């Protein structure tokens, strides 16, 4: 093989590694966004949690007589 062919193959390998690194970065960012949205949702649910032990408190529905749910 010539030096030029070796350089082309080396460059192609580097580019493939670069593309794989970019794919992993995007995948990690997507996973991070998903995790953040899950945490945000749980925080929103927790804001509505009532500890009065009356009625339904399942995170989706709140059916009790507490003043802060009206």
């Amino acid at each position: 093989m010539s030096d030029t062919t070796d350089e082309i193959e080396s460059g192609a390998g580097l580019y493939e590694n670069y593309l794989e690194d970019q794919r992993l970065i995007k995948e990690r960012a997507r996973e991070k966004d998903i995790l953040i949205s899950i945490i945000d949702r749980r925080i929103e649910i927790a804001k509505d949690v009532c500890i009065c032990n009356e009625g339904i408190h399942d995170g989706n529905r709140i059916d009790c007589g507490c003043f802060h749910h009206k």
Side-chain angles (χ1 to χ4, degrees):
M1 281 196 214
S2 69
D3 290 340
T4 304
T5 304
D6 291 343
E7 289 174 2
I8 291 171
E9 288 178 359
S10 175
L14 290 173
Y15 185 65
E16 287 176 12
N17 289 340
Y18 167 79
L19 291 177
E20 179 64 15
D21 289 345
Q22 292 302 307
R23 186 190 67 77
L24 290 173
I25 289 169
K26 286 180 183 178
E27 184 178 325
R28 287 186 191 123
R30 185 172 90 56
E31 290 170 354
K32 181 180 175 183
D33 288 344
I34 290 170
L35 183 59
I36 288 170
S37 69
I38 290 169
I39 291 169
D40 286 347
R41 177 68 182 132
R42 289 187 178 175
I43 289 171
E44 287 301 315
I45 290 170
K47 287 180 184 177
D48 293 332
V49 171
C50 180
I51 57 172
C52 75
N53 296 322
E54 296 177 21
I56 301 168
H57 305 93
D58 65 3
N60 296 318
R61 297 170 292 159
I62 298 173
D63 181 18
C64 68
C66 295
F67 69 91
H68 64 280
H69 296 300
K70 293 183 177 183

